[in-house]
Amino acid sequence: MSLPGKYCIGLLAEDNPLKSFFCFRPVLLEEEDRFAPFEHPEHFPEQGCIRIVPDKNESSHFKTRMRMIGSFAVVDLRNHIGESDKIRPNKNYRGDGVERNAHIIYSDVVAQPPAGTIFSLLDLRPEEAENQTLPAAPLSREILLCVDGAPLAQIWRCAQDEHDPELTRLVPSGEEADLESLQTFEIPDGANETAHIAVSKQLLQRSAEPARAPQTAPKAEP
């Protein structure tokens, strides 16, 4: 198995909302201080995905935290080099179509990537993006526009269209990406299409903090 000991970027999906089942599909893997496409989905039958199960310390807020992460998640196994440390065979997998993931991964190593490290790339000019609506939000919450195939530094984010909640509008964030640190990739987006993304190599040096479950606000003193 090629994930233990590595840093991995993948797509997180709630593949069965009725049961709060989540899965992780590796798409990029750390290779010598860079990222490279993950080319061995056959390691994880049947869909190249791994079932995410709650770590013993996360059972109370597992579902909430997974939903807060978004489409992209990172898995850091650099301190877990054993083949069965965090990824193990799924005892519920029998190949009968009920459970589609032959392996499990514990949720404590599944984290939200830091801001400014993973971007969706859209072929739009800034003047076009200001008036552009999208039928669906891109995979990443942060977007870079591309002109003639080259990403621009300004970071854009998605906002709900005020006239049609079904549409997504792009808004500038006022921040810029470090273009020198970016690698670009084409990855399968889970809907039989290809998504264009950019990933910062700084992600390998930054610790990804798990998104915490929202806390109840304390009551005001009388």
Side-chain angles (χ1 to χ4, degrees):
M1 191 182 299
S2 55
L3 294 189
K6 296 295 184 74
Y7 194 94
C8 180
I9 299 172
L11 294 173
L12 186 150
E14 187 172 4
D15 54 336
N16 189 332
L18 294 178
K19 295 185 178 182
S20 299
F21 280 1
F22 298 85
C23 64
F24 175 79
R25 177 158 58 90
V27 293
L28 299 174
L29 197 64
E30 170 202 7
E31 294 288 350
E32 299 180 353
D33 296 325
R34 294 177 61 84
F35 287 104
F38 179 70
E39 297 178 340
H40 298 286
E42 70 277 3
H43 288 182
F44 304 112
E46 300 169 0
Q47 298 175 322
C49 297
I50 313 170
R51 171 69 59 220
I52 305 173
V53 297
D55 176 74
K56 62 182 179 181
N57 297 318
E58 284 201 317
S59 57
S60 62
H61 61 273
F62 166 75
K63 176 173 65 175
T64 301
R65 189 173 78 82
M66 290 297 108
R67 287 174 176 166
M68 290 172 61
I69 289 177
S71 297
F72 282 106
V74 293
V75 166
D76 191 349
L77 297 177
R78 289 175 288 190
N79 293 326
H80 303 282
I81 61 175
E83 289 291 336
S84 300
D85 284 358
K86 290 296 178 178
I87 301 177
R88 298 180 179 179
N90 186 351
K91 296 180 180 179
N92 295 322
Y93 177 75
R94 297 177 177 84
D96 56 5
V98 176
E99 169 56 69
R100 298 188 296 271
N101 306 128
H103 295 81
I104 64 168
I105 185 169
Y106 290 102
S107 63
D108 60 323
V109 296
V110 180
Q112 182 176 3
T117 56
I118 302 179
F119 305 94
S120 288
L121 299 179
L122 299 181
D123 290 322
L124 289 172
R125 296 180 180 274
E127 60 271 20
E128 297 172 329
E130 291 178 354
N131 300 307
Q132 183 76 24
T133 56
L134 308 173
L139 286 177
S140 175
R141 294 167 176 165
E142 296 184 300
I143 296 99
L144 296 181
L145 306 182
C146 290
V147 176
D148 297 328
L152 304 180
Q154 186 178 35
I155 299 173
W156 295 67
R157 294 194 175 97
C158 292
Q160 192 177 64
D161 185 76
E162 58 184 15
H163 301 296
D164 188 346
E166 299 295 323
L167 297 176
T168 298
R169 185 173 293 278
L170 298 178
V171 295
S173 69
E175 302 170 3
E176 292 192 350
D178 178 10
L179 297 181
E180 295 296 324
S181 72
L182 297 183
Q183 292 181 261
T184 59
F185 299 94
E186 294 184 5
I187 64 168
D189 68 354
N192 296 321
E193 296 185 6
T194 299
H196 298 257
I197 67 169
V199 177
S200 173
K201 290 182 286 186
Q202 295 175 358
L203 188 56
L204 293 171
Q205 284 79 48
R206 298 174 65 174
S207 59
E209 293 293 337
R212 302 298 181 188
Q215 302 294 317
T216 303
K219 294 182 179 179
E221 293 293 335

